[in-house]
Amino acid sequence: MARLIESVVGHAVEIKHLIQLRESGRWPHALLFAGPSGTGKRKIALAFAQILVCDNADRDPQGLACGVCGPCLRVQKEQSESLLFLKPDEKAARPAIKVEAVRELLDSLSLASLGKARIVIVDNAQIMNPQASNALLKTLEEPFENVYFILICEDLGQLLPTIRSRVQVVKFSALSFEEIQIVKPGKPDWAYRSSRGQIDRLELLASPEGTQKREEALTLFEQFCADEEFLMASEWRASIKDRTWAQFNVTCWLQIIRDLVILKTQANKFILNTDQIERLKKLFQIQSKKLLWLADQLVFAERDIQGNSDPVLVFEDLWVRYARK
Ligand SMILES: [Zn+2]
């Protein structure tokens, strides 16, 4: 038994704004929650679904859900007939929400309304393919009565402009250093610092696999900067062959470069990789100019890896250009 809103950490301003929208009767048919992953957007969407369907929210002085009525409990368990999700096709090679899923959803929405609010949550809305987006767009243009969409994505630019023009956007930021420690206590200091305020990234970093991959990323960085035979060595290729881990590697390197620049200015309290200071100090001889060039190029590398470039080739190419600097 719980009010879901009470388990949300942070985002006070956004929550207040949303409560005011509902209290003033201006709750829109389509909202878009945009902001970094792992910051609680889905939880907030569920919390407001609870408020929208609660039998007692209208009598609550703060306009919150009671957390104990039948509709509240069913939303909490995610087993409510008022709560629908637009889900990705699990068989697809790359995560995608397809038009069939949208059609199925629209069919169930067009069935006789229960007279109550229904909330559709579209998590990772950016994985809707164009056909799915266009099918959804029609509904956003001519909304069903009492049906409220909450789309969730990281970056507004990932959605079709036509969709963006039909939704009211609420932007969320990453959690603060203090907030993320409240949500997930007991993790190492360096993991909180390197998490960028994102719970999913914190969990990944603190997992055995993530910890090992981060270690590998630092070793690879040392080799990349110091080893004149880098291209001849082969072991490193295995560690970044996988696209996801290659991206993880890029993020780790950007944080290493950030730390190196900070160490040079001796502002040590801002270091992210607090457990690796001794190893980082050994990389001191790398010129700042070269580090900043590399940081700049890594942003492009990340984009290429996100696209369809072979991660190993991206790093080989990067090294050739780095070695010439
Ligand atoms: Zn309730």
Side-chain angles (χ1 to χ4, degrees):
M1 289 188 288
R3 288 169 160 174
L4 291 174
I5 199 78
E6 285 170 1
S7 62
V8 174
V9 176
H11 310 301
V13 173
E14 294 78 8
I15 289 172
K16 193 172 163 207
H17 168 65
L18 289 166
I19 288 177
Q20 279 169 352
L21 278 182
R22 183 184 168 277
E23 293 268 272
S24 60
R26 289 182 293 122
W27 187 271
H29 279 281
L31 274 165
L32 171 66
F33 290 180
S37 65
T39 51
K41 297 189 297 300
R42 185 179 188 277
K43 193 182 250 186
I44 294 170
L46 284 171
F48 277 91
Q50 199 180 41
I51 292 172
L52 290 166
V53 302
C54 172
D55 285 338
N56 304 310
D58 287 334
R59 289 188 292 278
D60 185 88
Q62 294 164 284
L64 298 179
C66 71
V68 294
C69 70
C72 271
L73 292 177
R74 286 194 286 277
V75 169
Q76 190 198 338
K77 289 185 199 145
E78 297 186 28
Q79 289 173 350
S80 168
E81 67 279 12
S82 304
L83 183 62
L84 299 112
F85 296 91
L86 193 51
K87 290 196 172 143
D89 178 0
E90 283 167 9
K91 288 184 214 121
R94 278 197 164 197
I97 296 175
K98 295 191 172 167
V99 69
E100 292 79 9
V102 179
R103 287 202 190 111
E104 207 175 300
L105 172 81
L106 299 184
D107 282 348
S108 63
L109 286 175
S110 62
L111 294 174
S113 161
L114 306 163
K116 287 202 127 199
R118 281 176 295 170
I119 298 91
V120 182
I121 296 182
V122 190
D123 202 358
N124 293 313
Q126 75 280 0
I127 63 171
M128 277 191 291
N129 68 20
Q131 294 90 330
S133 292
N134 284 325
L136 184 69
L137 186 63
K138 287 205 186 84
T139 316
L140 299 181
E141 284 167 345
E142 294 166 31
F144 291 90
E145 199 181 340
N146 250 345
V147 172
Y148 304 99
F149 281 85
I150 303 180
L151 280 63
I152 302 172
C153 75
E154 289 181 39
D155 182 2
L156 282 179
Q158 296 169 319
L159 298 183
L160 291 181
T162 42
I163 295 273
R164 291 206 305 264
S165 68
R166 290 282 162 192
V167 295
Q168 209 176 106
V169 180
V170 181
K171 285 191 182 163
F172 290 85
S173 345
L175 297 172
S176 71
F177 188 63
E178 289 74 25
E179 285 164 352
I180 197 159
Q181 290 182 79
I182 295 171
V183 182
K184 294 282 167 191
K187 309 284 183 196
D189 177 69
W190 63 262
Y192 287 122
R193 289 170 182 269
S194 308
S195 69
R196 302 188 299 199
Q198 293 173 261
I199 297 155
D200 50 353
R201 187 161 169 82
L202 173 71
E203 299 273 29
L204 176 64
L205 283 164
S207 72
E209 200 179 17
T211 305
Q212 189 200 326
K213 286 285 180 187
R214 170 177 168 267
E215 188 75 27
E216 283 176 23
L218 179 53
T219 308
L220 186 57
F221 187 83
E222 290 164 343
Q223 289 170 353
F224 182 93
C225 295
D227 191 351
E228 289 179 6
E229 305 289 308
F230 182 74
L231 281 192
M232 310 298 278
S234 57
E235 311 83 54
W236 64 267
R237 289 180 171 82
S239 68
I240 55 151
K241 212 169 55 191
D242 176 86
R243 202 173 294 280
T244 310
W245 287 119
Q247 275 177 274
F248 180 83
N249 193 79
V250 169
T251 317
C252 289
W253 281 23
L254 284 169
Q255 294 189 330
I256 291 168
I257 292 171
R258 180 190 176 282
D259 279 356
L260 286 172
V261 173
I262 286 173
L263 273 173
K264 283 174 196 266
T265 65
Q266 303 197 328
N268 289 17
K269 67 173 177 173
F270 298 113
I271 297 288
L272 301 176
N273 298 288
T274 42
D275 59 330
Q276 301 287 6
I277 291 182
E278 290 314 309
R279 276 175 82 178
L280 292 173
K281 280 183 179 164
K282 292 191 183 131
L283 298 167
F284 248 35
Q285 77 286 4
I286 309 172
Q287 298 166 352
S288 296
K289 207 175 74 181
K290 237 175 151 178
L291 287 174
L292 295 175
W293 177 87
L294 186 54
D296 204 33
Q297 296 302 310
L298 281 168
V299 176
F300 294 110
E302 187 171 30
R303 192 199 54 197
D304 291 345
I305 294 166
Q306 265 170 2
N308 246 341
S309 304
D310 176 353
V312 172
L313 292 181
V314 170
F315 276 90
E316 284 178 356
D317 171 61
L318 188 58
W319 187 83
V320 170
R321 289 184 294 122
Y322 179 81
R324 280 200 216 119
K325 282 270 149 190

